[in-house]
Amino acid sequence: MYKKLNLRKIVMLLLIFCFISFLSVIPAFYGGYIKFHYDGSVHISRFESVYMALKSKDLPPIINFIGFSGSLNAYNGMYPWLTTLIFVFPRFILGGNQLYALMAGFFILNFLTMFNTYLLVRELTNRSYLRLLGVFIYQLSTYHFVLMYSRNAIGEALAYAFIPLVFVGLYRIWNRKEKGFLFLGLGMGLIINSHILSAIMITMIILGILIGRILLKEITFEEIRQYFYAVVIAIAISSYMLVNFFTIYLFNKIGTPFKGIQGINGGKLFEVLLNNVITDEAITFNIGLFETLLLFLLLVYAFVSDRNIWKKWIVGAGFLYLITLDWFPWHTEILVNSPLGTVQFLGRLLTYVVLFLMIGVVLFFEHQKGVFFSNWKLLLVTILLLFMGMCATYNYHVKKNDFFVCYFLKTNNDFSNVIYKKVIGSDYQLQTNTDKDLPIEYVNVNKTIQKYDQITLLTDSPKKRKVKYLIPIYEGVNYTIIENGKNITNEVRKGKMLTISLRKGHNRIVIRSKASGVQWTAFLFSIVAIILATALSMRSLLLKHREIK
Amino acid sequence: MNLRNINYKKLLIICILFTTVGILSVLPAFYGGYLKVTFDGNVHLSRFESIYKAISAMKVPSSVNFIGFNGMVAAYNSFYPWLTGLLFIMPRFIINNQLHAWMAGFFVVNFLTMVNMFILSKKLTNNFSLQLLGTFIYQLSAYHFTLLYSRMALGEALAYTFLPLVFTGLLNIWADNNIGILFLGIGMGLIINSHILSALITTIILAVIFMFRCVLKMCSLKEIRRYIYSALISIITSSYTLLSFFSVYVNNKVETPFHLLQAIVASDVWIAMLNNSIKDTSSIFNIGLIETLLLVILAVPAFISKYSKWKLWWMGSIGIGILTLNWLPWNSQYLVDSPIGSIQFLGRLLTYVVLFLAISVVMFLDKIYGQKFSMSNLIVLVVPLLAMGMCATYNYHITKKDDPIRFYPHTNHDFNEVAYHKFSVFDYQLKNNSGHSRIPIKEYSVYDTKQKYNQISIKITSSKARKYKFNIPIYIGVKYTVKVNGVERNIVPGRMLIAHLREGKNTITITSNPTKLQSIALIISIISIILGTSYSFYSEVRKSNVKNIGAI
């Protein structure tokens, strides 16, 4: 019942993936540093607090005590961190060198992206060269490099790595193959554990596809049952994340990240495509010149040739590409204030453009008559894509002074300095705040002692007074607050900014929070679910195909 | 020798066609009766003037230039090959008006470019229309006009003219024809006699192609032997240039031209192509909108069809094209300081992009259309190319003062003024000229000099009697006679000229004549070029027994 494994082929594949991962990572670390701007600094702060917690064999609390200028925002609660473990674990192995750990993390990320994409292309074609073409179109897209290096959007980059799994699941379900729900659930669960917005967007896209299927009357009852199973698995896998998220979200009025619908500027896009530039500006996000041309040519071909299955995907990719452009009045107030506004940058849709393009290209070569694909072409395309991605990354990497806030991190010291002293916390603030007349006491990061589960604030006050810290005290989170050795937890009102009466002279305020029992349970449940789902889905790959009913 | 075998009718058609296109390619650059001369053009005006004067006096030109270059007597004649520049110089012996002579020179160069490319195209296809298409893609490329008129890089333009011969030779050698040895040798020899850097780049490209052939096991010992014969021929034909070059280069520490790796900025070049501009800004050198589109669109058949030989040339073309772009981090100091940095402008590689594009287009169309490709197809492609080239040249020509250094010579007097008196670059300076820092440098005006092809007299007034240093390098290995106020003085070679002046008016006269060896080498070069070209042209013109060797 198990398939015969072609070990030589598997080893070759893994070697190729390793090699390409390696090449995708080095330009961003050339010269022994990484270029990070604000978003990158947020992520390394998050990593640090997870790392420190795991080091103490503890679960990170819902509040971040490390970084974010001591503003104790609920990044751990609101921003999923479970899949970022691929960036955190290497630190335990690589003797604590953070630069190397980050490098290893990016390596794993790229490898995972290719591995998952390979699982998807396996569903589309049996030809090895074509499978690799698909993998490389997705992996070596300029937008992937944009996500990782110029946007530093690590959460989204992780989601990018797991999105192919979702489509493995969908493809299996649509083609009545076994265990589709498993892949769909695993993929969705991991995306929820990586980036909430990506999870919402992919849900919308799947809903869009489903509506299409309903209209075309392709949907079956069996299919719906499979979706249902998948949802259950996804919830199980992301239970820890969901518990965290809803603890904060339901009990508190949270300032969500800013709303905006920033389209891609057509003229600017053309310029950066031609110059092969990656930047952090949302109006210039792009999938690269070659993939844009490829999409364009295939759209033309789709228009002039007969009906074929690759066309849906190409048209889908083309449609999504089109709506990312600022040709449409995206910036109108109504749209921005609507739920659509949470997308912020329409360029985020490029992930799906690349994915659909990749699927379309593979199906094109698989099913279109009169076109040929060979190993030489694969080599050529791969080299070109790799060349463009590496050059764009390198050129971005060596450019200085293109950001107001930009760090060139080399040593552990550089990392610590940024993590503990530089990152500004601004997201997930409480929106209710009544004590308007109280003076604000700003936290001076140099007078704090930051640990993963507690922070000590040292303040000198010229006189006895009541002050307000810009520190949200969330409802539903257990805090222990000690002022000058006295436990004042019960005096502090929740759901507001921290207000405290300072005495004259030195003050020492300790704020502590630990992961709750519910969190622990959910965490263990999530981990077990991920391991089980991964193991089962991997096992199903080794089984001979069987159709369901 | 059977001259009756020649197809005179076809030959006549070709001559008329090439003459017409040649004239049309030249006219816009002379519209209004003047030539727009750039910074680089100034160099060529001065160089050619000194060659012209020497030949007028029936003498071999000196190793150093006494005419032009601010009277600084630099070794342009040695370092910058001039032999093929005779195409621009010879008309002056027939036409007295310099403007008209230049016009004739440009015409000859354009005509020869077409002839050479036609010879190459004949190796690629039997279809006459396609042969002409290849010729015109090469001749009417925007980059050809850039070279000729806006960059006025006449050395490179001459190399552009002879480059097709090199590939004619290669194709013949690969097809096991011995005539290839002659074409390759003559082609390379003529390129060396035109522009050293182009010769180097061509050699590197040939080496890369050779390596590919070795890797693909297409290379035979016989082939290598033929390459060696070709190298011998090219050395013989360029013996004068090589001798002049190395006799100065080996003996002196000479400043090489500045290092730079200016890539083409993709977004700027796109705008330039849309506007059909051939401005001499190195970041926008381009092969023209039509040819760029052709190059890009060929990607579609290249990608979806099965293996075919035209794809190799197309890949060469687009590969080199990509290398010229700012996608690579060319501006990193490490690369600029390396030997690659002597390329200066990566746009220079466009010559090869155009050539390979022309080859691949001809082979591609030959494969898919064969004889079906007709004259009307040709006209549809060529007329827009010609129109765009002429318009771009005209627009460049009538734009004045687009750079601080521009000349618009009209009369013979204007031309002489530029050639003799205008400032131009001073390359090939001696490196160790820092010695004798206590001796002051004596400046002199170029208007106080009397410049001949082998001699310069400088009138200098000194306020007191003392030693002065002059911005005149005295190269080792070049014979000089220096007279101060009529008395011959000994000079120390290998550094700047130092002379003792008396109070009041002084006259310094510097004379230099070529060595016997140079004269002999020049005669060898000229005879071998005449023999080589006439034999290879004869072999082309006669109806060959060897049929078209097909797409290699």
Side-chain angles (χ1 to χ4, degrees):
Chain A
M1 139 170 163
Y2 283 98
K3 278 194 281 192
K4 255 185 135 180
L5 285 180
N6 184 345
L7 263 181
R8 195 164 151 261
K9 194 175 151 192
I10 292 175
V11 171
M12 273 295 287
L13 271 180
L14 295 183
L15 280 180
I16 290 173
F17 291 170
C18 281
F19 183 64
I20 300 285
S21 294
F22 182 70
L23 290 180
S24 307
V25 170
I26 40 170
F29 288 85
Y30 177 86
Y33 67 89
I34 178 126
K35 179 177 172 183
F36 262 178
H37 53 80
Y38 175 73
D39 284 16
S41 68
V42 166
H43 292 295
I44 50 176
S45 288
R46 292 171 50 224
F47 296 169
E48 178 79 4
S49 114
V50 174
Y51 171 75
M52 285 300 178
L54 295 184
K55 210 175 160 190
S56 317
K57 302 204 170 49
D58 200 355
L59 200 56
I62 219 161
I63 310 295
N64 287 50
F65 292 97
I66 292 175
F68 305 106
S69 332
S71 64
L72 308 202
N73 292 0
Y75 278 86
N76 279 347
M78 302 296 283
Y79 204 129
W81 61 262
L82 212 54
T83 52
T84 61
L85 285 176
I86 64 166
F87 287 92
V88 175
F89 273 140
R91 266 182 84 180
F92 290 106
I93 301 156
L94 292 169
N97 184 319
Q98 295 200 52
L99 188 72
Y100 292 160
L102 210 55
M103 218 167 146
F106 274 116
F107 176 84
I108 298 170
L109 177 65
N110 281 292
F111 185 88
L112 268 183
T113 307
M114 278 184 277
F115 184 82
N116 293 338
T117 314
Y118 189 78
L119 296 188
L120 175 54
V121 287
R122 272 178 88 252
E123 305 294 326
L124 307 176
T125 175
N126 283 323
R127 290 146 75 187
S128 323
Y129 295 130
L130 213 43
R131 287 178 176 180
L132 283 179
L133 176 74
V135 171
F136 294 142
I137 287 179
Y138 192 67
Q139 156 69 17
L140 300 175
S141 167
T142 303
Y143 188 62
H144 193 207
F145 292 96
V146 169
L147 274 181
M148 290 191 290
Y149 304 124
S150 75
R151 286 190 55 195
N152 300 160
I154 293 189
E156 271 174 274
L158 282 162
Y160 191 94
F162 298 121
I163 284 170
L165 285 181
V166 170
F167 283 83
V168 176
L170 290 175
Y171 228 82
R172 286 194 159 220
I173 293 173
W174 296 336
N175 291 314
R176 303 173 150 275
K177 274 162 90 182
E178 270 193 318
K179 301 286 186 321
F181 69 92
L182 202 54
F183 285 95
L184 180 57
L186 179 65
M188 280 306 292
L190 290 173
I191 293 171
I192 300 173
N193 277 325
S194 304
H195 194 235
I196 299 285
L197 184 57
S198 297
I200 294 171
M201 279 166 70
I202 192 152
T203 311
M204 306 297 284
I205 281 173
I206 294 175
L207 284 179
I209 295 175
L210 283 192
I211 290 169
R213 286 179 71 79
I214 290 169
L215 289 180
L216 295 171
K217 292 184 181 154
E218 286 175 338
I219 203 154
T220 60
F221 183 69
E222 175 59 30
E223 189 179 327
I224 294 170
R225 193 158 65 189
Q226 297 259 334
Y227 294 143
F228 182 72
Y229 293 156
V231 170
V232 173
I233 293 176
I235 289 174
I237 285 175
S238 56
S239 54
Y240 168 68
M241 181 52 222
L242 294 176
V243 165
N244 276 352
F245 185 84
F246 286 111
T247 310
I248 300 286
Y249 193 75
L250 291 182
F251 294 119
N252 301 278
K253 268 201 170 169
I254 299 292
T256 45
F258 74 97
K259 285 197 168 186
I261 304 182
Q262 173 87 67
I264 292 172
N265 183 281
K268 199 84 185 138
L269 172 69
F270 195 67
E271 193 185 322
V272 294
L273 281 178
L274 284 175
N275 289 337
N276 190 29
V277 170
I278 58 173
T279 73
D280 183 46
E281 287 173 77
I283 56 166
T284 69
F285 293 169
N286 69 87
I287 64 171
L289 183 63
F290 289 130
E291 294 190 356
T292 305
L293 282 178
L294 193 61
L295 177 58
F296 186 75
L297 290 175
L298 283 176
L299 278 171
V300 173
Y301 203 82
F303 202 72
V304 297
S305 64
D306 295 334
R307 191 185 148 89
N308 203 320
I309 55 167
W310 58 270
K311 289 189 185 177
K312 289 184 225 168
W313 297 100
I314 292 298
V315 171
F319 173 72
L320 287 180
Y321 203 123
L322 194 70
I323 61 171
T324 62
L325 297 175
D326 64 1
W327 296 350
F328 307 97
W330 290 120
H331 50 260
T332 50
E333 210 59 33
I334 304 168
L335 284 176
V336 172
N337 289 329
S338 76
L340 280 181
T342 44
V343 173
Q344 297 174 332
F345 319 118
L346 285 166
R348 286 186 156 142
L349 287 170
L350 291 177
T351 299
Y352 308 96
V353 174
V354 177
L355 184 79
F356 293 174
L357 171 68
M358 181 275 273
I359 296 175
V361 170
V362 172
L363 292 177
F364 171 75
F365 281 108
E366 177 74 13
H367 294 286
Q368 185 66 44
K369 286 194 178 70
V371 295
F372 302 94
F373 194 74
S374 64
N375 48 352
W376 281 103
K377 284 178 189 167
L378 172 71
L379 194 68
L380 203 71
V381 174
T382 311
I383 289 174
L384 270 181
L385 289 176
L386 193 60
F387 164 83
M388 295 292 270
M390 287 177 74
C391 284
T393 306
Y394 176 83
N395 286 335
Y396 168 81
H397 179 70
V398 294
K399 198 155 139 202
K400 311 243 155 127
N401 308 324
D402 48 346
F403 288 107
F404 184 60
V405 179
C406 192
Y407 310 108
F408 296 90
L409 305 166
K410 216 173 179 135
T411 60
N412 275 0
N413 227 346
D414 299 341
F415 274 91
S416 298
N417 190 31
V418 170
I419 291 168
Y420 287 90
K421 297 193 173 154
K422 292 280 164 64
V423 197
I424 303 155
S426 55
D427 290 337
Y428 318 124
Q429 276 294 4
L430 281 177
Q431 275 188 326
T432 47
N433 197 9
T434 44
D435 306 310
K436 280 192 184 119
D437 15 320
L438 282 178
I440 296 172
E441 180 76 17
Y442 290 100
V443 175
N444 178 353
V445 280
N446 292 318
K447 289 188 174 174
T448 59
I449 304 164
Q450 303 171 13
K451 289 184 185 160
Y452 76 92
D453 61 347
Q454 75 169 50
I455 190 165
T456 309
L457 309 173
L458 304 170
T459 319
D460 285 327
S461 180
K463 58 175 187 207
K464 190 170 182 264
R465 66 197 177 122
K466 200 172 182 191
V467 294
K468 180 170 78 172
Y469 278 95
L470 291 181
I471 292 178
I473 301 296
Y474 298 99
E475 296 253 24
V477 179
N478 289 323
Y479 290 94
T480 312
I481 301 167
I482 296 161
E483 188 193 9
N484 301 320
K486 190 177 132 217
N487 191 332
I488 56 160
T489 313
N490 295 331
E491 296 161 32
V492 173
R493 281 184 300 166
K494 286 198 168 178
K496 291 195 170 170
M497 294 297 183
L498 176 65
T499 49
I500 268 183
S501 304
L502 296 178
R503 69 179 182 200
K504 194 181 169 191
H506 297 300
N507 288 275
R508 185 187 174 89
I509 303 158
V510 180
I511 307 167
R512 186 182 302 146
S513 177
K514 283 275 189 193
S516 67
V518 180
Q519 279 177 285
W520 268 104
T521 320
F523 176 72
L524 293 176
F525 188 68
S526 278
I527 296 284
V528 172
I530 290 174
I531 292 171
L532 263 180
T534 313
L536 284 175
S537 51
M538 290 305 128
R539 179 171 169 271
S540 80
L541 293 179
L542 305 177
L543 292 175
K544 281 186 180 150
H545 289 317
R546 271 190 309 169
E547 269 201 9
I548 37 174
K549 276 184 247 163
Chain B
M1 227 189 225
N2 191 351
L3 290 176
R4 245 175 295 168
N5 274 348
I6 298 175
N7 184 345
Y8 285 105
K9 193 184 152 212
K10 202 172 179 185
L11 209 57
L12 192 68
I13 294 173
I14 292 170
C15 278
I16 293 172
L17 202 56
F18 289 0
T19 307
T20 315
V21 175
I23 290 172
L24 289 177
S25 305
V26 171
L27 279 182
F30 288 85
Y31 177 86
Y34 66 93
L35 177 65
K36 184 170 168 182
V37 176
T38 62
F39 193 76
D40 283 15
N42 189 354
V43 171
H44 298 294
L45 252 62
S46 298
R47 283 172 58 220
F48 292 165
E49 179 70 16
S50 88
I51 307 294
Y52 169 73
K53 287 290 179 194
I55 296 175
S56 295
M58 305 294 275
K59 288 278 163 40
V60 176
S62 308
S63 299
V64 288
N65 290 47
F66 295 98
I67 294 176
F69 306 106
N70 262 0
M72 283 174 176
V73 199
Y76 277 86
N77 278 351
S78 305
F79 282 111
Y80 205 129
W82 58 263
L83 211 53
T84 54
L86 286 175
L87 294 176
F88 286 100
I89 297 163
M90 292 314 259
R92 279 189 68 187
F93 291 105
I94 307 159
I95 305 165
N96 189 35
N97 183 320
Q98 287 197 41
L99 185 76
H100 294 165
W102 272 100
M103 228 168 137
F106 273 111
F107 170 77
V108 172
V109 169
N110 277 296
F111 188 85
L112 266 186
T113 306
M114 281 181 274
V115 169
N116 292 339
M117 189 60 199
F118 186 75
I119 291 171
L120 173 57
S121 301
K122 270 176 67 190
K123 295 284 162 293
L124 306 170
T125 174
N126 282 323
N127 181 343
F128 184 53
S129 304
L130 277 179
Q131 291 168 357
L132 289 178
L133 179 69
T135 309
F136 291 133
I137 288 177
Y138 192 64
Q139 157 67 18
L140 300 175
S141 166
Y143 189 61
H144 193 208
F145 291 98
T146 304
L147 277 179
L148 287 170
Y149 306 120
S150 72
R151 287 188 57 196
M152 257 190 116
L154 298 185
E156 274 173 89
L158 287 164
Y160 191 96
T161 300
F162 299 117
L163 187 65
L165 294 180
V166 172
F167 284 86
T168 309
L170 279 184
L171 290 175
N172 270 312
I173 288 177
W174 295 340
D176 211 16
N177 285 344
N178 272 327
I179 193 73
I181 299 172
L182 191 59
F183 276 106
L184 179 56
I186 285 284
M188 277 309 287
L190 289 172
I191 292 176
I192 299 172
N193 279 326
S194 305
H195 194 235
I196 299 285
L197 184 58
S198 296
L200 285 177
I201 298 175
T202 308
T203 310
I204 290 169
I205 285 175
L206 293 190
V208 171
I209 294 175
F210 178 68
M211 263 161 45
F212 262 100
R213 286 178 67 81
C214 287
V215 171
L216 297 173
K217 291 184 183 148
M218 291 160 87
C219 198
S220 65
L221 205 65
K222 205 167 156 194
E223 187 181 323
I224 295 172
R225 204 178 322 137
R226 285 179 168 141
Y227 291 146
I228 292 168
Y229 291 148
S230 300
L232 285 178
I233 294 176
S234 63
I235 288 171
I236 293 168
T237 48
S238 59
S239 54
Y240 168 73
T241 299
L242 293 177
L243 179 76
S244 305
F245 183 86
F246 284 109
S247 60
V248 181
Y249 188 77
V250 172
N251 290 322
N252 300 276
K253 276 197 170 164
V254 176
E255 296 269 14
T256 46
F258 65 99
H259 272 213
L260 184 75
L261 280 172
Q262 172 67 56
I264 292 175
V265 178
S267 57
D268 292 353
V269 84
W270 175 247
I271 294 167
M273 286 191 300
L274 284 179
N275 292 335
N276 192 27
S277 159
I278 56 166
K279 206 170 172 303
D280 59 334
T281 312
S282 50
S283 61
I284 63 151
F285 290 169
N286 65 83
I287 63 173
L289 186 64
I290 297 174
E291 294 189 0
T292 305
L293 288 179
L294 204 57
L295 180 61
V296 173
I297 287 171
L298 275 184
V300 177
F303 203 72
I304 60 175
S305 68
K306 278 184 177 156
Y307 172 81
S308 172
K309 285 199 171 149
W310 67 270
K311 288 188 192 178
L312 294 179
W313 294 102
W314 175 78
M315 269 165 58
S317 179
I318 203 155
I320 296 172
I322 286 174
L323 284 186
T324 64
L325 294 178
N326 58 339
W327 296 350
L328 275 159
W330 286 119
N331 49 10
S332 81
Q333 203 53 41
Y334 181 74
L335 282 176
V336 173
D337 291 336
S338 75
I340 302 173
S342 47
I343 290 184
Q344 298 174 331
F345 319 117
L346 288 156
R348 284 188 156 141
L349 296 174
L350 290 178
T351 298
Y352 307 91
V353 174
V354 176
L355 183 71
F356 294 171
L357 173 69
I359 294 175
S360 63
V361 168
V362 171
M363 286 169 78
F364 171 67
L365 292 178
D366 184 60
K367 189 181 159 65
I368 63 163
Y369 290 125
Q371 293 300 328
K372 275 186 274 174
F373 189 87
S374 65
M375 265 310 164
S376 51
N377 292 122
L378 175 74
I379 289 167
V380 167
L381 275 166
V382 169
V383 170
L385 270 181
L386 184 62
M388 286 188 83
M390 288 176 72
C391 290
T393 307
Y394 175 80
N395 288 333
Y396 169 80
H397 179 68
I398 57 159
T399 312
K400 298 206 173 177
K401 292 181 178 155
D402 46 346
D403 188 272
I405 297 170
R406 291 278 194 246
F407 312 101
Y408 312 93
H410 177 72
T411 60
N412 277 1
H413 178 264
D414 300 340
F415 274 96
N416 286 341
E417 174 67 15
V418 176
Y420 285 83
H421 294 143
K422 287 302 172 199
F423 175 76
S424 61
V425 274
F426 188 41
D427 288 334
Y428 319 122
Q429 214 20 300
L430 284 173
K431 260 181 187 166
N432 51 346
N433 57 3
S434 53
H436 297 273
S437 51
R438 282 174 294 115
I439 304 175
I441 292 178
K442 186 76 182 170
E443 307 275 354
Y444 54 92
S445 161
V446 70
Y447 288 98
D448 292 331
T449 60
K450 216 175 145 200
Q451 304 170 8
K452 289 184 187 164
Y453 71 93
N454 67 343
Q455 188 186 61
I456 189 167
S457 312
I458 308 165
K459 288 205 176 76
I460 298 170
T461 317
S462 176
S463 52
K464 59 181 175 185
R466 68 162 297 170
K467 264 189 181 174
Y468 283 109
K469 197 159 78 172
F470 295 87
N471 271 333
I472 295 176
I474 302 295
Y475 300 98
I476 302 171
V478 177
K479 271 197 311 185
Y480 290 94
T481 316
V482 176
K483 286 182 181 171
V484 180
N485 301 318
V487 185
E488 190 171 334
R489 300 282 180 191
N490 283 333
I491 46 159
V492 186
R495 61 185 194 208
M496 305 310 262
L497 174 68
I498 292 166
H500 198 280
L501 299 185
R502 64 183 180 203
E503 198 183 330
K505 285 182 177 169
N506 294 269
T507 311
I508 301 177
T509 313
I510 307 165
T511 316
S512 173
N513 283 313
T515 58
K516 273 257 158 55
L517 206 57
Q518 275 176 296
S519 309
I520 295 167
L522 182 60
I523 290 166
I524 292 174
S525 282
I526 289 177
I527 289 174
S528 60
I529 289 172
I530 291 173
L531 282 180
T533 44
S534 37
Y535 185 73
S536 50
F537 273 74
Y538 166 71
S539 77
E540 272 310 310
V541 170
R542 100 188 141 166
K543 252 187 192 166
S544 173
N545 296 329
V546 189
K547 279 191 180 164
N548 156 39
I549 54 178
I552 306 295

